[in-house]
Amino acid sequence: GLIGTLHGSLTDVTSFVPVTVTEEATGRYRIGGMVGSIPGRDGNDAVMLRCHQWGDVSYLQTATATDLSMIGGLVGLVDSPNPGKNSLTMTECSNNGNVYVTQKKTIAVGGLIGHRYYLDNSARSTSITLTDCVNNGDVTFDNSAATDRIYVGGLCGHLQETLLACVIKNCTNKGDVSCRSKCYCAGGFIGLAMGVEVNSCTNEGNVTVVEEESSSNWNVVGGLIGFQELRTGKTNHSIVTGCINSGDVSGVFKSTRSSFPFPSAGGIVGDIKAGSKYTDNTNTGKVTAVNLTEGAYAYAGGIAGGIHNTASMQISGNRNEGEVSAQTAGEGSQ
């Protein structure tokens, strides 16, 4: 909307510019309401302070797109240097426009940040700190023909790091998050999280996944985090503490997946892997998981839809007040 690539700082910037990639566009894109990308340059420590986006961000289906794109209400992509370190500090910023994507060649969609580029490489690192930020816009991916992994989040679609280097504090999502496709992970805050600390945050938006085509994808949806991943041998566990979800969480799957993570919906997290710490969180939203595949599985939980590989995991002091239900189709369903 304002800047293609950011090297440096933005302070007290407000934009009303709508950003649209039309059906005639070609190529691949890093699309942000305010900043397209923060480049992977060693020592590029970007700062966004009191920045506010009001224009909608849209990426419409094109026939000619060949590479995966990243779309965010404020920033499309935060890249990683090779080798080296950089960072993004975002404080008191907001997105107030809707983020709407129908382009099937998409990997991540977020209300604030679409994608933090990830390589399982200790020589390159990007730390991200979000403090007192808000997303007020709806975040939507809508294309049942999508074939790639898609991560959708109210704040960040895809946030991974080889270390515990991404911190989100006192942030709020108020927009509805929805994914109509073979969606891997969707969350009120983060679609896929790894190496992330989320502290004293709130999600008020409903989170919905509808899968219309049969697949064996992960298919997890959570009030705060869709899927919390961990790489074996890395210190990239996640910490989620003192957070609240009040939005309804719903997954309607047509999944044939027969191993972890199963199709699942959770009030705080869809599925958790080893090394995680989830303490003193509260869910008040309704949690629903439906699997339309006959004889298949569906899981729902007030806190977590699924937990697997429990090594070094800490889960304590959490509270669920929402209704929980799971439904599957046909005889032999579980």
Side-chain angles (χ1 to χ4, degrees):
L2 293 180
I3 297 172
T5 58
L6 175 64
H7 300 268
S9 301
L10 291 177
T11 301
D12 293 319
V13 177
T14 299
S15 173
F16 297 90
V17 177
V19 179
T20 303
V21 180
T22 66
E23 296 176 355
E24 295 77 22
T26 62
R28 64 179 181 176
Y29 294 90
R30 290 85 169 92
I31 304 160
M34 194 166 283
V35 177
S37 68
I38 295 175
R41 179 175 295 178
D42 189 27
N44 179 28
D45 296 322
V47 175
M48 298 179 69
L49 174 62
R50 296 186 298 271
C51 294
H52 306 287
Q53 170 70 14
W54 290 87
D56 292 344
V57 179
S58 304
Y59 187 15
L60 306 180
Q61 171 66 40
T62 70
T64 52
T66 58
D67 294 294
L68 295 174
S69 296
M70 306 93 174
I71 303 96
L74 286 176
V75 179
L77 168 68
V78 182
D79 209 345
S80 298
N82 187 21
K85 297 181 179 180
N86 64 0
S87 67
L88 166 64
T89 301
M90 186 182 290
T91 306
E92 296 180 32
C93 295
S94 70
N95 172 57
N96 303 282
N98 295 326
V99 181
Y100 179 74
V101 179
T102 61
Q103 170 55 258
K104 70 178 182 179
K105 298 297 290 185
T106 296
I107 187 170
V109 185
L112 297 181
I113 300 171
H115 185 70
R116 180 229 168 272
Y117 188 73
Y118 169 75
L119 278 179
D120 194 3
N121 185 341
S122 59
R124 50 195 301 183
S125 176
T126 299
S127 62
I128 294 176
T129 302
L130 307 181
T131 306
D132 298 320
C133 294
V134 180
N135 174 58
N136 291 308
D138 293 343
V139 180
T140 304
F141 180 87
D142 188 357
N143 189 331
S144 61
T147 57
D148 298 289
R149 296 187 178 188
I150 298 169
Y151 312 101
V152 183
L155 294 189
C156 308
H158 183 276
L159 201 59
Q160 293 194 105
E161 179 52 273
T162 54
L163 305 171
L164 181 56
C166 301
V167 179
I168 303 175
K169 293 183 178 180
N170 300 320
C171 293
T172 302
N173 174 58
K174 297 184 178 182
D176 290 341
V177 178
S178 62
C179 184
R180 182 178 294 273
S181 82
K182 300 175 184 178
C183 190
Y184 267 63
C185 315
F189 260 60
I190 307 169
L192 177 66
M194 185 165 71
V196 179
E197 178 179 348
V198 184
N199 192 337
S200 302
C201 294
T202 302
N203 174 58
E204 300 176 7
N206 297 326
V207 188
T208 305
V209 170
V210 178
E211 177 189 323
E212 298 175 327
E213 303 294 331
S214 180
S215 75
S216 59
N217 283 348
W218 293 354
N219 304 115
V220 292
V221 54
L224 291 177
I225 294 175
F227 182 58
Q228 188 275 304
E229 175 67 289
L230 176 75
R231 289 285 187 267
T232 302
K234 303 294 183 181
T235 56
N236 55 1
H237 58 282
S238 290
I239 299 172
V240 180
T241 183
C243 296
I244 298 172
N245 172 60
S246 60
D248 291 343
V249 180
S250 174
V252 178
F253 312 113
K254 197 174 182 181
S255 177
T256 60
R257 189 169 180 84
S258 59
S259 62
F260 287 116
F262 290 110
S264 58
I268 300 297
V269 56
D271 192 274
I272 314 174
K273 210 169 180 181
S276 309
K277 181 179 179 179
Y278 280 73
T279 60
D280 302 319
N281 303 293
T282 300
N283 172 62
T284 62
K286 181 179 179 180
V287 181
T288 306
V290 177
N291 194 342
L292 302 177
T293 301
E294 187 168 341
Y297 299 82
Y299 292 86
I303 301 300
I307 298 175
H308 68 282
N309 191 358
T310 59
S312 303
M313 188 177 292
Q314 301 177 54
I315 302 178
S316 64
N318 301 291
R319 179 182 178 90
N320 175 56
E321 300 177 2
E323 178 184 341
V324 179
S325 65
Q327 179 181 344
T328 54
E331 295 182 3
S333 297
Q334 301 187 43

